[in-house]
Amino acid sequence: MADEIANKIFIYNSLSGKKEEFIPINKNLVGMYVCGPTVYSNVHLGNCRTFLTFDMVYRYLKYIGYQVRYVRNITDAGHLENDADEGEDKIAKKARIEQLEPMEIVQAYTVDFHNVMRSFNALPPSIEPTATGHIIEQIEMIRTIMDKGLAYEVNGSVYFDVKKYSEKNNYGELSGRKLDELREGTRELDGQSEKRDPIDFALWKKASDQHIMRWQSPWSDGFPGWHLECSVMSSKYLGDQFDIHGGGMDLKFPHHECEIAQGKASNETSPVNYWMHGNMLTLNGKRMSKSTGNTLLPHELFSGENELLEKAYHPMVVRFFMMQAHYRSTLDFSSEALSASEKGYQKLMAAIETLDKLSFTQNEFNDAEDTAIVGLCEQCFAFMNDDFNTPRTIATLFELVSKINVYAKKGSIDNISEKTSNLLSETFRGMVFDVLGLKDIQDRKQGPLDGVMDILINLRKEAKLSRNFELSDKIRDELSAAGIQLKDSRDGTTDYTIN
Ligand code: AMP
Ligand code: ZN
């Protein structure tokens, strides 16, 4: 893209509660950190929404010419049940129930996460560090915080001293929470007797005999507190102060509030310049969440195997559905909304196909038409620059679709200059493919298996039409035995998935 970055981007910073102009610390390398998944179960569609939001942010920054170092961690230790400071490690618990090694759980769900992200066409981050790979650095950071007098040890565990920290800092600056309210909220919980103050949080926990995920430290055989890994890995790879930190809204407190406190305590600087929080994907009006079971899994959508769904949806349709909402708005999942997104997605793809095929008739700059197209192309950028407003960018793309369809009827682009025609093509394709991260589903149809499957699906359809159910069932069953599932939709089409 542009050699010189002309775009002024405004980002809503959760810390100030305002949109602020994005001025990176180092304009040659933007640092972005996003809290990754805790790998003890399959990622649900809500998790995917947050990761796809930051994939879009990463893509857009790159598209307008920034180099970005994007770090997204894998939480593979230290995240306890109920996001608390007491209780079993989420991964260890799953390992105990399934009678597996914790690292087998970590591996299985990391692989699942990567597969899901790939199916959504998400770009891999520049670095994907793990908590267990950074135990030494976590111990180092605890030492530093203790040396500054802002953490204390009790019975082999180390806690962050929130009250002491608050003498010079504002614990609650991100979440807006007040210390007294927090104290009242935490007092009823058990198991906090070790802490000097119930609002203190764990940096290191001594492991009980049953706790299998444990490491040696100067204080005990134990494990790091959940908030520490992100402070350690972000500062290690992006510096003590970096540009963008992202995650879902639910991570604002305590996770990100604690990250700010740890960063300031150890490095005497606020670690992050722009805090970005994505809003929640809801299902039946309630937050999609692993703990309540109110979830939809990506593979259920791709196969259509969930009672909420009338049919299967391609990952690109689901991605488009997510991009149609602003990342700071809640988004409610419904089959109807997905169907509408499918139509919209197909319209966009059809417009690109048309654009590729249309011939161009040489023209002078046409005041009305050239100006209109240039204006719409600029608007796409203007909306993206305004806190990554993908829904308004998409609405603008649809205005361009109307223009393209008029050209299609005429058979050629005959009333704009070549320069504008090129701008139209570049902007449209750039926004759809590079920024929104969509791919044409037809790519998928180009493999040799797709051709064979089309033949088999049509044979089965013909067999059904001639009431030869023996043959139609045979085709379905034998494909199933070979690991290929056919899925009939209510609209009469048939798709397939491979097990
Ligand atoms: P977890 O693996 O639970 O730590 O979550 C991974 C990411 O998904 C975090 O950034 C969460 O904030 C985010 N997340 C969890 N539930 C939802 C949801 N329903 N909608 C959007 N993001 C979510
Ligand atoms: Zn984190």
Side-chain angles (χ1 to χ4, degrees):
M1 232 350 249
D3 299 335
E4 207 35 46
I5 295 150
N7 299 55
K8 258 192 180 188
I9 304 183
F10 287 81
I11 298 183
Y12 180 88
N13 188 348
S14 307
L15 192 57
S16 64
K18 286 194 296 239
K19 280 186 200 168
E20 294 171 8
E21 186 183 341
F22 178 58
I23 303 170
I25 298 167
N26 171 358
K27 73 176 173 40
N28 296 317
L29 184 63
V30 171
M32 175 161 113
Y33 186 91
V34 171
C35 292
T38 307
V39 281
Y40 71 104
S41 64
N42 300 100
V43 277
H44 57 69
L45 215 59
N47 303 133
C48 295
R49 180 182 186 201
T50 293
F51 297 127
L52 294 179
T53 287
F54 291 101
D55 181 60
M56 173 274 293
V57 171
Y58 178 46
R59 282 169 170 278
Y60 185 63
L61 291 174
K62 278 163 46 114
Y63 187 66
I64 59 171
Y66 284 114
Q67 280 220 46
V68 185
R69 182 176 294 155
Y70 171 25
V71 183
R72 188 185 64 208
N73 69 304
I74 294 281
T75 297
D76 59 352
H79 197 165
L80 305 187
E81 283 180 288
N82 307 320
D83 300 344
D85 276 348
E86 300 290 334
E88 202 170 357
D89 185 291
K90 292 187 186 202
I91 290 159
K93 181 176 177 186
K94 186 70 171 238
R96 177 173 59 74
I97 293 167
E98 307 241 321
Q99 299 193 326
L100 293 169
E101 276 291 318
M103 281 299 136
E104 282 182 284
I105 297 294
V106 166
Q107 176 70 5
Y109 293 113
T110 303
V111 168
D112 171 73
F113 173 58
H114 287 161
N115 286 341
V116 168
M117 285 295 108
R118 203 171 308 118
S119 66
F120 279 125
N121 200 29
L123 298 172
S126 327
I127 306 177
E128 195 170 45
T130 62
T132 56
H134 295 77
I135 300 291
I136 292 170
E137 291 89 339
Q138 296 191 67
I139 291 173
E140 266 319 297
M141 189 176 270
I142 297 172
R143 272 215 182 98
T144 309
I145 298 174
M146 288 180 96
D147 288 347
K148 303 257 164 100
L150 291 169
Y152 57 90
E153 184 203 337
V154 191
N155 301 330
S157 293
V158 181
Y159 296 98
F160 189 93
D161 191 338
V162 173
K163 196 165 153 202
K164 184 88 186 290
Y165 169 81
S166 301
E167 287 169 8
K168 292 194 184 141
N169 299 281
N170 175 12
Y171 184 79
E173 61 186 300
L174 179 67
S175 58
R177 315 242 175 156
K178 301 267 171 287
L179 294 189
D180 285 342
E181 287 164 16
L182 285 171
R183 273 193 195 98
E184 269 163 36
T186 48
R187 204 161 274 158
E188 298 102 60
L189 295 179
D190 293 334
Q192 294 187 331
S193 51
E194 276 183 356
K195 297 181 185 176
R196 287 185 193 158
D197 191 327
I199 56 177
D200 294 347
F201 59 90
L203 297 175
W204 188 264
K205 286 293 286 180
K206 180 180 176 176
S208 63
D209 291 345
Q210 300 86 340
H211 198 108
I212 42 181
M213 298 182 79
R214 56 207 293 151
W215 293 265
Q216 286 181 354
S217 81
W219 313 286
S220 63
D221 269 14
F223 55 93
W226 168 41
H227 315 305
L228 196 61
E229 58 170 289
C230 291
S231 288
V232 162
M233 294 186 270
S234 59
S235 59
K236 174 162 179 170
Y237 298 110
L238 301 173
D240 292 344
Q241 195 167 39
F242 58 96
D243 299 303
I244 299 174
H245 191 315
M249 293 264 271
D250 56 323
L251 295 185
K252 257 192 198 178
F253 189 87
H255 189 53
H256 292 161
E257 194 71 64
C258 294
E259 269 191 58
I260 295 179
Q262 290 164 161
K264 281 189 170 175
S266 50
N267 304 314
E268 278 151 42
T269 164
S270 194
V272 176
N273 283 349
Y274 302 86
W275 280 96
M276 290 182 69
H277 289 99
N279 214 327
M280 297 289 108
L281 182 70
T282 58
L283 181 59
N284 300 317
K286 290 200 198 81
R287 185 190 143 188
M288 226 181 248
S289 153
K290 276 173 206 168
S291 53
T292 57
N294 186 40
T295 56
L296 248 179
L297 298 178
H299 79 82
E300 293 175 325
L301 269 169
F302 307 159
S303 66
E305 277 154 21
N306 185 298
E307 57 189 21
L308 292 169
L309 300 168
E310 284 166 15
K311 58 179 213 139
Y313 289 95
H314 193 277
M316 286 305 105
V317 171
V318 183
R319 182 171 177 125
F320 182 62
F321 162 71
M322 302 223 192
M323 294 295 142
Q324 281 180 296
H326 189 260
Y327 77 90
R328 283 194 290 118
S329 310
T330 54
L331 172 62
D332 195 48
F333 178 88
S334 72
S335 196
E336 297 76 47
L338 263 188
S339 278
S341 295
E342 189 169 56
K343 292 194 181 82
Y345 167 83
Q346 273 156 359
K347 255 173 129 179
L348 271 189
M349 291 303 144
I352 286 182
E353 248 186 273
T354 308
L355 205 52
D356 289 346
K357 281 187 206 143
L358 276 178
S359 59
F360 175 77
T361 323
Q362 197 61 45
N363 272 290
E364 293 302 308
F365 188 88
N366 170 329
D367 253 3
E369 198 58 14
D370 277 70
T371 310
I373 301 269
V374 171
L376 288 172
C377 291
E378 283 173 356
Q379 226 179 68
C380 288
F381 285 93
F383 286 135
M384 287 306 293
N385 293 339
D386 181 15
D387 196 27
F388 308 97
N389 197 328
T390 53
R392 299 199 74 178
T393 302
I394 291 171
T396 309
L397 289 175
F398 279 117
E399 288 188 50
L400 287 171
V401 169
S402 307
K403 299 270 183 201
I404 293 167
N405 289 341
V406 171
Y407 298 139
K409 280 206 186 99
K410 291 198 276 183
S412 71
I413 302 180
D414 63 353
N415 61 351
I416 51 173
S417 66
E418 188 169 10
K419 194 169 165 215
T420 304
S421 167
N422 290 340
L423 176 77
L424 166 64
S425 183
E426 193 190 326
T427 308
F428 201 85
R429 296 178 66 91
M431 286 291 157
V432 170
F433 295 138
D434 300 340
V435 176
L436 298 174
L438 300 171
K439 280 195 302 197
D440 195 343
I441 293 180
Q442 278 161 9
D443 290 346
R444 189 179 60 94
K445 291 272 178 201
Q446 279 162 5
L449 181 61
D450 294 305
V452 175
M453 286 306 299
D454 281 347
I455 295 171
L456 285 170
I457 287 168
N458 282 334
L459 269 179
R460 178 167 163 265
K461 207 172 269 171
E462 282 165 19
K464 271 189 179 171
L465 280 174
S466 56
R467 307 194 64 77
N468 186 350
F469 297 115
E470 201 183 326
L471 178 60
S472 65
D473 288 351
K474 190 170 177 263
I475 294 172
R476 187 198 56 213
D477 295 344
E478 293 197 359
L479 281 172
S480 172
I484 298 174
Q485 307 300 333
L486 293 184
K487 177 90 190 161
D488 297 318
S489 301
R490 283 181 205 170
D491 62 8
T493 56
T494 302
D495 213 339
Y496 73 93
T497 52
I498 302 175
N499 290 346

